Amino acid sequence: MADSFKAIKVTPSVYWVGAIDWDIRNFHGYLTSRGSTYNAFLVVGEKVTLIDTVKAAFKDEMFSRIASVVDPQKIDYIISNHAEMDHSGCLPDTIAAVNPEKVFTSRMGQKALVEHFHMDASSLTPVDEGETVDLGGKKFTFVETKMCHWPDSMVSYLHDEAVLFSQDAFGMHLASHERFIDELDRGVTDYEAMKYYANILTPLGSFIEKTLTKVASLDLKIDVVAPDHGPLLRRGEDIGGVIEKYTKWAKQPPTDKVVVVYDSMWGSSQKMARAIEEGLSDGGAKVKMFPMHDSHRSDVITDLLEAGGFVVGSATMNNGILPSIADVMCYLKGLKPRNLVGGAFGSYGWSGEAPKILNATLEEMGVEIAAAPLRVMYVPDDKQISKSREFGLNIAKKMMAKL
Amino acid sequence: MAAQKYVCEVCGYVYDPETNGPESGAESGTAFADLPADWVCPQCGAGKDQFSPV
Ligand SMILES: Cc1cc2nc3c(=O)[nH]c(=O)nc-3n(C[C@H](O)[C@H](O)[C@H](O)COP(=O)(O)O)c2cc1C
Ligand SMILES: [Fe+2]
Ligand SMILES: [Fe+2]
Ligand SMILES: [Zn+2]
């Protein structure tokens, strides 16, 4: 086995033994421009506990890092906080290789792991909500975080060193050799944390609010937050900062930002988009334009998470909307962004269904329609450009009035 | 006797026939067993088979 990978010490008894995925750019449809990490942790006391594993393809890297601290055969316990395969992918192989005394998981985690790997349910030890266990002198408390972001999700708290193993919560897709957020560029980590929340957690705001309230009521002293992706947090300001951001994102208060998403075949809907942008800006809005021929849906939702307006445009093609717009609207509808005002527009030739279809989708998404769908036959003339500008201005005015 | 409540194992939503609001899509007082077979959890979308009595 390759032995080039070493563990990184987090606290006196906690080691990071995960894997760095420098290559990944498509994480179930989410553009991971900076790669990712799959974080696993080893807690070494009188007994040895492994917390989560890594994606199946990275098993050797994890074992190499474990072996730099202890013989993997010495692992007594495994805690599986989350059943998704980026963290459980090599759990069955790890169980087979180290034969642990117990594998702890939530009740839903037990069910999900059995459904994934068709393993014997009795090889897993389900834990109760709030249960505390002593693992060789290391005291852990397990807290269910149902639907944050899967039914099985839980977090584990190590009392002795005040470490919260938070699974996917508070993480980000960011490959780096640095293991702590304070060693990285703040602009990059702020953006990637927001992108992670936006793409994974946006539809689950009500669950996140409840879970944050529950965890706060436990009054745990947290010195380190150790998520399953990206850097760890060890400074009070970073930990407080991310909790504050999650609290805000769960509510999605509207802002003065408008996201404009559009695509065009012959440039007419694009001309409308440019005029609409001018109108929105005249109305005091900050505009973010996404030409969907070369933009990624996961960047659109990242901007929408902190927006107050959403405008979408498409040319009409074969009595419908353009495929690039269908893609992003399908994705956004599922993510259920809230507290937005907006409208739909587009150029057409003879039937002009696209703006109507998009307006209906906006309504289904709960977007408050601030201006009736704007349609232009073929190429917009000066008057229609003015109308487009006005359309933008009206949306901005309605949006700004709500702030 | 109080009506039997059911909890969604997936997300923790509790269906209580006595206090169920409009989010449940059911008339007040409807027993869990009398909900249509295609009824889903109003919080997470899971089917009736994912509920257990509580
Ligand atoms: C971001 C995300 C959201 C999901 N949302 C749902 C959901 O709403 N309902 C559901 O039944 N499964 C949901 N799943 C679970 C997947 O459908 C499940 O993992 C499935 O086995 C994936 O199939 P595949 O291997 O063909 O991709 C979700 C998974 C991910 C990663
Ligand atoms: Fe996950
Ligand atoms: Fe994950
Ligand atoms: Zn549910």
Side-chain angles (χ1 to χ4, degrees):
Chain A
M1 190 182 293
D3 61 357
S4 55
F5 300 110
K6 306 275 184 253
I8 292 173
K9 201 168 191 152
V10 176
T11 63
S13 65
V14 177
Y15 296 82
W16 176 83
V17 292
I20 308 175
D21 191 345
W22 299 103
D23 290 59
I24 191 160
R25 291 295 180 270
N26 179 347
F27 195 100
H28 58 57
Y30 166 163
L31 177 70
T32 46
S33 323
R34 294 184 168 99
S36 193
T37 67
Y38 313 112
N39 299 338
F41 302 94
L42 206 62
V43 183
V44 183
E46 287 153 40
K47 301 272 189 166
V48 178
T49 302
L50 175 66
I51 301 180
D52 288 325
T53 67
V54 298
K55 222 177 184 177
F58 293 86
K59 187 181 80 180
D60 288 352
E61 183 172 336
M62 180 185 79
F63 268 87
S64 168
R65 293 191 199 274
I66 293 170
S68 74
V69 183
V70 293
D71 174 357
Q73 296 299 323
K74 296 232 159 72
I75 292 173
D76 300 286
Y77 305 108
I78 300 177
I79 297 170
S80 171
N81 279 327
H82 181 23
E84 195 166 3
M85 284 190 280
D86 46 344
H87 313 295
S88 67
C90 61
L91 183 63
D93 280 356
T94 305
I95 293 173
V98 311
N99 191 26
E101 200 179 303
K102 278 182 178 166
V103 180
F104 299 101
T105 164
S106 68
R107 287 188 189 278
M108 289 306 278
Q110 180 185 35
K111 198 171 161 195
L113 289 170
V114 168
E115 296 297 343
H116 273 85
F117 304 109
H118 314 295
M119 58 213 289
D120 187 356
S122 66
S123 64
L124 303 165
T125 305
V127 297
D128 285 322
E129 162 72 340
E131 188 174 333
T132 298
V133 294
D134 185 314
L135 304 180
K138 302 283 169 195
K139 206 170 95 183
F140 288 94
T141 295
F142 306 112
V143 181
E144 276 184 356
T145 57
K146 271 190 182 195
M147 296 312 283
C148 303
H149 70 122
W150 272 15
D152 51 83
S153 299
M154 69 171 192
V155 297
S156 302
Y157 177 69
L158 172 62
H159 288 261
D160 317 60
E161 283 156 28
V163 182
L164 182 72
F165 298 95
S166 63
Q167 45 98 23
D168 278 335
F170 309 132
M172 67 187 76
H173 288 308
L174 174 59
S176 65
H177 196 82
E178 294 75 15
R179 279 286 63 76
F180 295 95
I181 204 163
D182 49 88
E183 301 167 318
L184 291 155
D185 183 289
R186 177 73 187 266
V188 170
T189 56
D190 277 355
Y191 182 79
E192 294 299 344
M194 177 163 76
K195 186 169 188 181
Y196 191 88
Y197 185 102
N199 282 276
I200 308 293
L201 299 168
T202 298
L204 307 169
S206 62
F207 295 110
I208 294 184
E209 270 191 285
K210 268 188 248 163
T211 302
L212 286 172
T213 306
K214 180 173 80 173
V215 173
S217 76
L218 299 176
D219 215 9
L220 304 173
K221 170 177 180 281
I222 301 174
D223 288 341
V224 178
V225 170
D228 272 355
H229 299 284
L232 283 65
L233 291 71
R234 62 182 170 187
R235 293 191 307 196
E237 64 202 88
D238 292 325
I239 295 169
V242 78
I243 292 173
E244 204 174 291
K245 281 196 176 151
Y246 269 53
T247 306
K248 179 179 79 176
W249 290 331
K251 289 194 162 63
Q252 284 180 66
T255 71
D256 61 357
K257 178 165 69 175
V258 182
V259 172
V260 181
V261 156
Y262 63 95
D263 204 357
S264 187
M265 290 181 285
W266 290 106
S268 291
S269 302
Q270 179 205 39
K271 283 197 179 81
M272 293 173 77
R274 293 170 59 151
I276 290 166
E277 189 281 316
E278 292 285 327
L280 287 165
S281 293
D282 282 352
K286 295 205 174 62
V287 188
K288 194 78 197 262
M289 300 281 275
F290 285 98
M292 290 316 298
H293 49 83
D294 282 298
S295 302
H296 201 274
R297 61 182 101 86
S298 57
D299 291 319
V300 176
I301 187 63
T302 307
D303 264 293
L304 264 184
L305 182 62
E306 290 189 354
F310 177 40
V311 176
V312 56
S314 173
T316 295
M317 182 199 227
N318 302 327
N319 304 107
I321 59 178
L322 293 172
S324 62
I325 298 297
D327 173 308
V328 70
M329 293 305 278
C330 167
Y331 192 62
L332 296 178
K333 198 175 157 194
L335 287 167
K336 304 184 181 75
R338 289 183 286 158
N339 303 323
L340 298 168
V341 301
F345 68 94
S347 170
Y348 70 105
W350 50 92
S351 59
E353 287 88 342
K356 286 187 256 175
I357 293 171
L358 291 173
N359 199 73
T361 309
L362 290 177
E363 282 178 336
E364 282 170 46
M365 289 172 67
V367 175
E368 185 188 325
I369 305 297
L374 179 68
R375 304 194 307 168
V376 167
M377 187 180 269
Y378 291 120
V379 181
D381 62 11
D382 286 350
K383 225 175 104 197
Q384 287 161 324
I385 288 295
S386 297
K387 276 234 143 97
S388 301
R389 195 184 175 109
E390 240 170 74
F391 173 86
L393 184 65
N394 288 338
I395 292 174
K397 278 185 183 158
K398 287 235 170 91
M399 185 187 82
M400 299 302 284
K402 298 190 75 172
L403 298 183
Chain B
M1 200 183 83
Q4 180 67 57
K5 295 182 209 173
Y6 278 74
V7 65
C8 174
E9 302 279 0
V10 174
C11 76
Y13 171 80
V14 175
Y15 180 81
D16 180 347
E18 280 169 7
T19 59
N20 64 326
E23 90 288 342
S24 69
E27 292 261 326
S28 166
T30 309
F32 186 78
D34 295 334
L35 292 169
D38 61 358
W39 183 85
V40 297
C41 173
Q43 269 194 179
C44 77
K48 279 181 82 175
D49 58 338
Q50 307 256 29
F51 280 72
S52 55
V54 67

